[in-house]
Amino acid sequence: MEHSAALVPATLPYYVAFSQLLGLTVVAVTGAWLGLYRGGIAWESALQFNVHPLCMVIGMIFLQGDALLVYRVFRKEAKRTTKVLHGLLHVVAFIIALVGLVAVFDYHKKKGYADLYSLHSWCGILVFVLYFVQWLVGFSFFLFPGASFSLRSRYRPQHIFFGATIFLLSVGTALLGLKEALLFKLGTKYSMFEPEGLLVNVLGLLLICFGVVVLYILAQADWKRPSQAEEQALSMDFKTLTEGDSPSPQ
Amino acid sequence: MEHSAALVPATLPYYVAFSQLLGLTVVAVTGAWLGLYRGGIAWESALQFNVHPLCMVIGMIFLQGDALLVYRVFRKEAKRTTKVLHGLLHVVAFIIALVGLVAVFDYHKKKGYADLYSLHSWCGILVFVLYFVQWLVGFSFFLFPGASFSLRSRYRPQHIFFGATIFLLSVGTALLGLKEALLFKLGTKYSMFEPEGLLVNVLGLLLICFGVVVLYILAQADWKRPSQAEEQALSMDFKTLTEGDSPSPQ
């Protein structure tokens, strides 16, 4: 019984389900905001700007967050399958975010607006470049068949730390973007508790909740993916020793 | 030699020094911004608002961050001394932040402005309440002499996770506040690369760097404070066993 509990921790599925509920709610509320207060979404029109927040929330928040959770959710699959899924989810997230970036630069160009003057845009470019570099370095170390076992072991904690950091920076950048969109449109009306202001504030809190729940799932030491036989033999811990369990392939 | 390296990891002091340099720069740049572009600081005048960003940056960013680093910096002192310092730094941070909060509410009242309508204010109140609750719960578990060893062990990871989360939320809330201060004053002039806009953008990036460096120091497993003799005997790990070291009181 303790053995099976070690394979799928009892409360993990509930936290994962909650994270997905939050993530989908974030995407839905973003869509609702753009539909209700910003005229909806289209590429070839003044609505092109609205492609930006929706794509960034889907790519850089929801899918990036889910890519981080892959190792907690898929616990029995082969390590390589899980790795490929993790890498692929990041590729899809990256492409969707790229569409969102092209949308805002193209919109600015058509309107004659300046680019890259705001804190939101500085953070956004920084995060996007870091995200791309992290993917490239991760790919070279973990999927490309060159890196040695010891090199991978030394890079792994750095990859995890910077992955979580880039995800949190994405959430922070989204909050700055929401604030910018509100203040440019509402101005001092923001202080009159306009419905759009309240909705976007709620969206901001939901984004924070999604970020915190994903981070919480990642931070639980007991919820980490169990090592596989060959790795477990190398990293067998004290608990296993004291309990007299031999490391099993599962 | 490896033993002394385990006591003070070779590169930790450089990271800590860098974090302090960043933290002091953040405080200095905040002061410079308020002095150069906002008329400086005073309580009984329209400048009362400016007390708010300065106090929040000193309390909720710099001192809160330093309080988290106490367990990494003071490695040889008695656990209790370190705990008390950790708790006291948080008290000082809390009091300074409280002054910053009173300043903005008092300023709003005098000017007849609405309170608590923005995402920045919602996040700010949430973080401040969570910070207070975290301190109270931490005090009851770790300093008040009632909690058992096993209760403390179970609560410790939660305390660490939520401590780091509250710190990161403080950084995020500060970024939202900077953005709000800029957009209300500069409006569309923000897009003309005004010097104030650029300075505050740089301040935002410095805040992010401070947050990331503090988090990086906290996240390094090797940099955690070594357990003391009585605790080490209980949590002795595989590495110690394989190296044949007996847990020493240091």
Side-chain angles (χ1 to χ4, degrees):
Chain A
M1 189 178 152
E2 190 174 308
H3 204 87
S4 75
L7 280 179
V8 182
T11 54
L12 174 58
Y14 298 100
Y15 280 88
V16 171
F18 185 52
S19 75
Q20 297 313 290
L21 189 68
L22 272 172
L24 290 171
T25 307
V26 161
V27 173
V29 173
T30 307
W33 165 50
L34 297 170
L36 285 171
Y37 296 104
R38 303 277 166 148
I41 284 178
W43 191 266
E44 288 295 341
S45 77
L47 299 176
Q48 188 181 16
F49 175 82
N50 296 347
V51 174
H52 175 68
L54 189 66
C55 280
M56 301 324 270
V57 162
I58 294 175
M60 295 296 283
I61 309 287
F62 183 55
L63 290 178
Q64 184 183 173
D66 274 10
L68 303 189
L69 294 181
V70 155
Y71 290 101
R72 301 297 178 277
V73 174
F74 300 96
R75 308 171 67 81
K76 294 177 192 172
E77 287 69 17
K79 184 82 173 269
R80 193 163 178 86
T81 315
T82 321
K83 270 188 195 182
V84 170
L85 182 60
H86 176 77
L88 272 181
L89 263 176
H90 279 310
V91 171
V92 176
F94 183 84
I95 291 170
I96 293 176
L98 192 62
V99 173
L101 273 187
V102 170
V104 71
F105 278 102
D106 200 37
Y107 173 80
H108 276 194
K109 198 176 163 190
K110 285 175 189 163
K111 287 273 186 178
Y113 293 164
D115 286 319
L116 298 178
Y117 60 85
S118 75
L119 183 56
H120 167 68
S121 62
W122 289 21
C123 291
I125 287 296
L126 180 76
V127 169
F128 195 70
V129 170
L130 288 176
Y131 191 51
F132 184 60
V133 171
Q134 165 91 348
W135 190 91
L136 279 184
V137 178
F139 182 83
S140 331
F141 272 82
F142 297 124
L143 278 168
F144 203 70
S148 70
F149 183 81
S150 80
L151 205 61
R152 285 180 178 180
S153 298
R154 262 182 295 158
Y155 172 56
R156 189 176 291 113
Q158 308 294 326
H159 184 76
I160 293 170
F161 175 80
F162 286 105
T165 301
I166 290 168
F167 172 65
L168 292 177
L169 281 177
S170 305
V171 174
T173 304
L175 296 179
L176 288 175
L178 290 181
K179 190 96 193 189
E180 191 168 291
L182 273 189
L183 282 170
F184 271 136
K185 187 181 162 198
L186 297 178
T188 50
K189 280 207 299 181
Y190 190 19
S191 68
M192 291 169 194
F193 298 90
E194 292 274 312
E196 180 178 357
L198 296 177
L199 180 70
V200 174
N201 286 359
V202 169
L203 176 54
L205 294 184
L206 287 169
L207 278 164
I208 291 173
C209 289
F210 180 68
V212 171
V213 172
V214 169
L215 197 69
Y216 186 83
I217 295 171
L218 295 177
Q220 304 308 302
D222 301 345
W223 291 359
K224 297 211 162 110
R225 194 175 191 272
S227 313
Q228 291 191 290
E230 71 274 27
E231 290 172 352
Q232 208 163 23
L234 288 164
S235 66
M236 188 170 47
D237 63 10
F238 183 61
K239 192 161 172 275
T240 319
L241 279 179
T242 49
E243 289 175 1
D245 269 358
S246 65
S248 84
Q250 292 202 316
Chain B
M1 190 177 155
E2 191 174 309
H3 204 84
S4 73
L7 280 178
V8 182
T11 53
L12 174 58
Y14 297 101
Y15 280 87
V16 171
F18 184 53
S19 75
Q20 296 313 291
L21 189 68
L22 271 173
L24 290 171
T25 307
V26 161
V27 173
V29 173
T30 307
W33 165 50
L34 296 171
L36 286 170
Y37 297 103
R38 302 279 167 147
I41 283 177
W43 191 266
E44 286 298 340
S45 76
L47 300 175
Q48 188 180 17
F49 175 81
N50 296 348
V51 174
H52 175 68
L54 189 67
C55 281
M56 301 323 270
V57 162
I58 294 174
M60 295 296 283
I61 309 287
F62 183 55
L63 290 178
Q64 184 183 173
D66 274 11
L68 303 190
L69 295 180
V70 154
Y71 289 101
R72 300 298 179 276
V73 174
F74 300 97
R75 306 172 67 79
K76 295 177 190 171
E77 287 69 18
K79 183 84 173 269
R80 195 165 176 84
T81 316
T82 321
K83 269 188 197 181
V84 169
L85 183 61
H86 177 76
L88 273 181
L89 263 176
H90 278 310
V91 170
V92 177
F94 183 84
I95 292 170
I96 293 175
L98 192 62
V99 173
L101 272 188
V102 171
V104 70
F105 278 103
D106 200 37
Y107 173 79
H108 276 194
K109 198 177 162 189
K110 285 175 189 163
K111 289 271 186 179
Y113 293 164
D115 288 319
L116 298 178
Y117 60 86
S118 75
L119 183 55
H120 166 67
S121 62
W122 288 21
C123 291
I125 286 295
L126 179 75
V127 169
F128 195 70
V129 170
L130 288 176
Y131 192 51
F132 185 61
V133 171
Q134 164 92 348
W135 191 91
L136 279 184
V137 179
F139 182 83
S140 332
F141 272 82
F142 297 124
L143 279 168
F144 203 71
S148 71
F149 183 81
S150 81
L151 205 61
R152 285 180 178 179
S153 299
R154 262 182 296 157
Y155 172 56
R156 188 175 293 112
Q158 308 293 327
H159 183 77
I160 293 171
F161 175 80
F162 285 105
T165 301
I166 290 167
F167 172 65
L168 294 177
L169 281 178
S170 305
V171 174
T173 304
L175 296 179
L176 288 175
L178 290 181
K179 190 98 194 186
E180 190 169 290
L182 275 188
L183 283 170
F184 271 136
K185 187 180 161 198
L186 298 177
T188 51
K189 282 206 299 181
Y190 191 20
S191 69
M192 293 169 192
F193 297 92
E194 292 275 312
E196 180 178 356
L198 296 177
L199 180 70
V200 174
N201 285 359
V202 169
L203 176 54
L205 294 184
L206 287 169
L207 278 164
I208 291 172
C209 289
F210 179 68
V212 171
V213 172
V214 168
L215 197 68
Y216 187 82
I217 295 171
L218 294 178
Q220 303 309 303
D222 301 345
W223 291 359
K224 298 214 162 107
R225 193 176 192 271
S227 314
Q228 291 190 294
E230 71 275 27
E231 290 172 350
Q232 208 162 24
L234 288 165
S235 66
M236 189 168 48
D237 64 10
F238 183 62
K239 191 160 172 274
T240 318
L241 278 180
T242 49
E243 290 175 0
D245 270 358
S246 66
S248 86
Q250 296 201 313

